[in-house]
């Protein structure tokens, strides 16, 4: 089953490679991983999407907790939470396709960030399935580049992951 | 006090109470070596290879419970130390390994003797640090010792670039007496509710089994374990790493378990209804086939490392905490009440265990012409009064040492159980001898293993370390040959060691005493003679029966009730 694990890490060089190294050393899956500093510059917040049986997920959380640089960890899969991912897509657009692509972007509440004579850069946010759906609605041969942030997630309400 | 980085390091080690520094100099650590030269508080032991330094520090740490400290240079110095670091990591031994690094401005430029030491060691340390600023040095060292020695212990690497130790840059130094880390707070006290649940389950057992590992030794919890086991009257088995935590000569001890454990220990594991795992990690050599493991048992597991709980085998009552503290609480509850186990059921259980024991699974066929390796270990036990520190390497001799030298005290049996590092035994013995100069220290080894770190005979000479080396020389990589016999139709692919040296002469060339013993009648005399030479290292090269196998054996993928027995034991079992 897919799990979303949120971590607060010491903002130290090497903290990211400790997490990534753990997953490769123990042959766990990583579907996506995103990390950046928080409002407290001594800590980084990581959102990690993985999958496995209950036993494997239990081991993953225990092994992550064992890393000295991991300050706190929460598997937010089972709790009410908000998921978002941001995607930038560069598409080749010419002639009538310009209108068509803009119309699709509007349907997905996408924003066109850059326009040239032959290309658009479109920003779309949402959960993973929405981004997949957007990609699928475009003409594949027109897609020049796709950049995705990996999933970000945060628990709803009072419950949360804080220092 | 204003000190340079090198001075801070040496002053810190002194303040931390470090006795020995096992090391080898090189370019990146020359500033530090200049300070070592200027002081006498921390004694430096000059090894012959960095792997030897880590194993010596490891032996010292296992024999004392204090952290072993290593100093090596950058590049090859660090990579040579990696095997020893990984060895300590697998067996949870507290080490602090200080590695030199190229100057901060040169990091990443592929400089001479540069490796990414923090990157290379990351998967085989408890934690590691790169110190980029001399102002962080003292605090980082304190953190390193704190992390290495607390919770589930392990090795910590501190990588120090050369410019951090330069003599001309001095800063104020004060010994950091305490350390606080928001991200590292090992749980030591067990959860009271879980402890009560565990006690209920433990007392409800009809066919109980206590199974303990290296965690009991590491936590100095042997006394608490003995009390616990004696109050209950339950049978107990130890893992290879746990031997000595419960007295090996006590009638409640039914031998080691696992791949080369005793028949009675493995059968009792298979048939028990309550298993009490303490400071053990259900490793594959102990468990065998997970699906066949303790099929009838409800399992209690006490361990300081939550990640060890339910990692391979799902347990019913987990308790995270220091095994010594948790056992202390359970003992207190047992002593404070008259709740006791079912005596009738326990007596019947012991009767079954004694029947399993009666097949005498470790029996071997004696010989007048060939030295049986098992007999050498038995005679070593007699010659040392059962009170030696015994280190071993890896292979058949290691198993025979574990089977035939019962340890009555913890920290007496020192071997590379997890990583299985050949070459560990002799340098580890040197570390033990440094820690306990008056103790009898023996290294049981084989001709394959001893060669892997043989250069440390030179270190032994320099520091007059009178260990006794018991080389069980069967001219084979014995355990490899045994597996080839059992699983590869006897095809002895590269398991015969041709062109071996004359070990006695080799030892003598290093300035030690060498003996070659090839007759069974001479074994006892040689051992007595060797141990009478209290101030000399004696290398005893025993030419042993090359065909001998380690029995009994639980093959990979089998259960505890499916052991392969020796021919003579099989006949007794059938009878």
């Amino acid at each position: 089953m897919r799990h979303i694990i949120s971590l607060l890490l010491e903002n130290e060089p090497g903290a990211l490679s400790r997490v990534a190294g753990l997953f490769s050393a123990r042959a766990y899956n990583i579907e996506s991983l995103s990390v950046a500093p928080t409002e407290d510059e001594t800590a980084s917040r990581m959102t990690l999407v993985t999958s496995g049986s209950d036993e494997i997920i239990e081991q993953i959380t225990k092994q992550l907790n064992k890393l000295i640089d991991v300050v706190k960890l929460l598997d937010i899969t089972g709790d009410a939470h908000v998921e978002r991912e941001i995607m930038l897509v560069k598409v080749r657009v010419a002639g009538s396709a310009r209108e068509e692509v803009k119309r699709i972007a509007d349907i997905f509440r996408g924003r066109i960030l850059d326009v040239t004579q032959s290309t658009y850069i479109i920003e779309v946010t949402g959960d993973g399935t929405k981004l997949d759906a957007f990609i699928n609605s475009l003409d594949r041969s027109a897609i020049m580049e796709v950049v995705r942030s990996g999933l970000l997630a945060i628990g709803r309400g009072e419950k949360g992951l804080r220092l | 006090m204003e000190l340079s980085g090198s001075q801070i390091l040496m002053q810190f080690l002194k303040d931390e109470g470090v006795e020995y520094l096992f090391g080898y100099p090189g370019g990146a650590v020359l500033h530090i070596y200049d300070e070592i030269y200027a002081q006498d508080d921390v004694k430096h032991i000059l090894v012959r290879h960095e792997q030897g330094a880590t194993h010596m520090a490891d032996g010292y740490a296992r024999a004392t419970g204090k952290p072993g400290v290593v100093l090596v240079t950058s590049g090859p110095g660090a990579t040579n130390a990696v095997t020893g670091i990984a060895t300590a990591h697998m067996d949870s031994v507290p080490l602090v390994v200080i590695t030199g690094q190229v100057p901060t401005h040169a990091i990443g430029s592929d400089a001479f003797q540069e490796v990414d030491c923090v990157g290379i060691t990351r998967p085989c340390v408890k934690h590691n640090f790169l110190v980029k600023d001399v102002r962080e040095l003292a605090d980082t060292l304190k953190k390193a010792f704190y992390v290495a020695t607390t919770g589930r212990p392990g090795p910590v690497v501190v990588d120090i670039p050369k410019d951090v130790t330069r003599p001309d840059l001095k800063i104020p130094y004060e010994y950091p007496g305490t350390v606080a880390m928001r991200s590292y707070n090992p749980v030591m006290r067990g959860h009271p509710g879980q402890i009560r649940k565990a006690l209920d389950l433990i007392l409800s057992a009809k066919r109980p089994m206590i199974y303990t590992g290296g965690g009991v030794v590491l936590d100095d919890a042997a006394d608490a374990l003995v009390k616990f086991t004696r109050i209950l009257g339950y049978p107990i088995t130890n893992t290879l790493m746990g031997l000595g935590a419960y007295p090996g000569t006590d009638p409640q001890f039914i031998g080691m378990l696992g791949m080369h454990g005793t028949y009675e220990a493995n059968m009792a594991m298979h048939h028990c209804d309550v298993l009490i795992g303490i400071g053990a990690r259900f490793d594959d050599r102990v468990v065998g086939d997970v699906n066949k493991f303790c099929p009838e048992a409800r399992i209690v597991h006490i361990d300081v490392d939550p990640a060890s709980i339910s990692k391979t085998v799902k347990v019913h009552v987990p308790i995270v905490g220091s095994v010594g503290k948790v056992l202390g609480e359970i003992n207190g509850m047992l002593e404070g009440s008259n709740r006791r186990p079912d005596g009738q059921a326990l007596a019947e259980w012991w009767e079954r265990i004694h029947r399993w024991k009666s097949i005498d699974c470790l029996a071997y066929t004696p010989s007048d012409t060939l030295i049986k390796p098992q007999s050498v270990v038995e005679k070593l036990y007699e010659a040392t009064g059962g009170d030696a520190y015994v280190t071993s390497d890896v292979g058949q001799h290691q198993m025979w040492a574990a089977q035939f030298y019962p340890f009555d005290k913890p920290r007496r049996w020192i071997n590379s159980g997890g990583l299985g590092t050949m070459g560990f035994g002799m340098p580890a013995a040197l570390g033990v001898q440094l820690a306990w100069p008056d103790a009898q220290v023996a290294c049981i080894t084989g001709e394959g293993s001893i060669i892997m770190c043989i250069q440390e005979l030179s270190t032994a000479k320099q520091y007059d370390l009178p260990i006794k080396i018991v080389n069980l020389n069967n001219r084979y990589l014995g355990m490899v040959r045994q597996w080839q016999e059992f699983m590869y139709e006897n095809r002895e692919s590269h398991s015969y060691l041709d062109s071996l040296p004359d070990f006695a002469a080799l030892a003598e060339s290093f300035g030690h005493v060498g003996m070659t013993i090839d007759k069974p009648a001479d074994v006892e005399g040689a051992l007595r003679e060797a141990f009478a030479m209290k101030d000399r290292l004696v290398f005893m090269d025993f030419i042993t029966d090359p065909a001998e196998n380690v029995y009994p054996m639980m093959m990979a993928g089998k259960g505890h009730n499916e052991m392969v027995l020796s021919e003579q034991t099989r006949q007794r079992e059938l009878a």
Side-chain angles (χ1 to χ4, degrees), chain A residues 10 17-18 42 58-59 62-63 66 68-71 163, chain B residues 122 127-128 152 181-184 305-307 309 311 314:
Chain A
E10 294 291 358
S17 51
R18 285 181 214 282
T42 66
E58 182 183 335
Q59 263 301 304
K62 283 173 167 178
Q63 293 291 349
K66 211 167 133 175
I68 307 286
D69 284 338
V70 171
V71 187
L163 283 177
Chain B
R122 188 176 297 124
H127 196 55
N128 58 19
R152 179 178 177 179
M181 293 173 74
R182 63 180 175 181
S183 61
Y184 175 70
D305 176 12
I309 292 176
K311 183 169 74 175
K314 189 91 191 145

Side-chain angles (χ1 to χ4, degrees), chain B residues 1 7-21 39-43 69 141 145 173 175:
Chain B
M1 179 160 54
Q7 289 169 329
I8 288 173
L9 173 60
M10 294 316 296
Q11 184 62 39
F12 176 87
L13 294 179
K14 182 190 171 190
D15 293 343
E16 188 69 22
V18 172
E19 231 181 331
Y20 291 106
L21 183 55
Q39 58 88 53
D40 313 304
D41 297 306
V42 182
K43 293 185 235 23
V69 188
L141 287 166
F145 276 82
Y173 165 80
Y175 174 66

Side-chain angles (χ1 to χ4, degrees), chain B residues 133-213:
Chain B
D133 187 327
V134 67
R135 284 166 298 188
E136 295 165 7
L137 182 58
D139 278 342
T140 305
L141 287 166
K142 185 69 198 175
K143 280 182 189 168
F145 276 82
Y146 173 63
V147 170
T149 53
T150 51
R152 179 178 177 179
V156 176
V157 166
V158 184
D159 199 29
I160 308 180
K162 188 169 185 181
D163 53 328
V164 171
T165 58
R166 58 194 258 201
D168 57 327
L169 178 64
K170 298 198 175 187
I171 61 156
Y173 165 80
E174 201 178 330
Y175 174 66
T178 57
V179 59
M181 293 173 74
R182 63 180 175 181
S183 61
Y184 175 70
N185 295 294
V187 174
M188 300 311 281
R189 284 205 52 184
H191 187 278
Q194 288 296 95
I195 292 178
R196 276 195 302 277
K197 258 166 77 180
L199 187 58
D200 289 346
L201 183 56
I202 290 167
L203 287 171
S204 75
K206 307 280 183 211
R207 300 184 308 281
M209 188 67 182
I210 303 171
Y211 141 64
T212 78

Side-chain angles (χ1 to χ4, degrees), chain B residues 69-316:
Chain B
V69 188
V70 175
L71 172 63
V72 297
T73 194
S74 64
T79 55
N80 281 346
V82 168
T83 298
I85 294 169
T87 303
H89 187 239
M90 285 291 268
D91 290 343
S92 308
V93 176
L95 291 190
V96 174
V97 180
I98 297 156
T99 54
Q101 182 55 277
V102 301
T104 46
H105 61 80
I107 288 178
S109 69
D110 299 322
F112 177 65
Q113 293 194 328
E114 179 183 1
V115 294
D116 173 9
C117 177
V118 166
I120 284 178
T121 58
R122 188 176 297 124
C124 62
V125 292
K126 186 170 173 188
H127 196 55
N128 58 19
F129 298 94
L130 171 64
V131 184
K132 281 189 166 164
D133 187 327
V134 67
R135 284 166 298 188
E136 295 165 7
L137 182 58
D139 278 342
T140 305
L141 287 166
K142 185 69 198 175
K143 280 182 189 168
F145 276 82
Y146 173 63
V147 170
T149 53
T150 51
R152 179 178 177 179
V156 176
V157 166
V158 184
D159 199 29
I160 308 180
K162 188 169 185 181
D163 53 328
V164 171
T165 58
R166 58 194 258 201
D168 57 327
L169 178 64
K170 298 198 175 187
I171 61 156
Y173 165 80
E174 201 178 330
Y175 174 66
T178 57
V179 59
M181 293 173 74
R182 63 180 175 181
S183 61
Y184 175 70
N185 295 294
V187 174
M188 300 311 281
R189 284 205 52 184
H191 187 278
Q194 288 296 95
I195 292 178
R196 276 195 302 277
K197 258 166 77 180
L199 187 58
D200 289 346
L201 183 56
I202 290 167
L203 287 171
S204 75
K206 307 280 183 211
R207 300 184 308 281
M209 188 67 182
I210 303 171
Y211 141 64
T212 78
V216 178
V217 178
L218 290 164
D219 201 30
D220 291 318
D223 290 344
L225 175 67
V226 170
K227 187 184 254 189
F228 172 76
T229 308
R230 296 235 167 103
I231 293 175
L232 294 167
Y234 288 178
I236 177 168
T237 179
N238 292 160
T239 68
L240 180 68
M241 293 308 300
L243 294 173
Y246 190 85
T249 54
D250 186 277
Q252 277 174 255
F253 182 67
I254 61 171
M256 182 171 77
L257 83 164
M259 185 171 274
H260 291 296
T262 64
Y263 180 71
E264 51 272 27
N266 281 356
M267 289 299 273
M269 289 292 287
H270 186 77
H271 291 282
C272 71
D273 71 341
V274 173
L275 179 68
I276 307 150
I278 306 171
R281 60 186 178 88
F282 295 77
D283 137 281
D284 57 296
R285 287 296 197 265
V286 158
V287 167
D289 183 346
V290 174
N291 300 313
K292 297 176 181 169
F293 180 76
C294 295
E296 296 160 33
R298 312 250 317 146
I299 304 175
V300 175
H301 188 191
I302 308 169
D303 204 286
V304 75
D305 176 12
S308 283
I309 292 176
S310 294
K311 183 169 74 175
T312 54
V313 172
K314 189 91 191 145
V315 305
H316 305 90

Side-chain angles (χ1 to χ4, degrees), chain B residues 495-526:
Chain B
S495 52
Y496 182 75
L497 290 180
D498 214 339
S499 307
L500 284 166
D502 173 344
F503 283 102
L506 180 66
E508 285 181 0
S509 77
F510 278 99
H512 303 301
V513 179
M515 297 178 180
T516 307
I517 305 99
D518 56 7
K519 290 186 204 55
D522 296 339
V523 170
E524 195 176 336

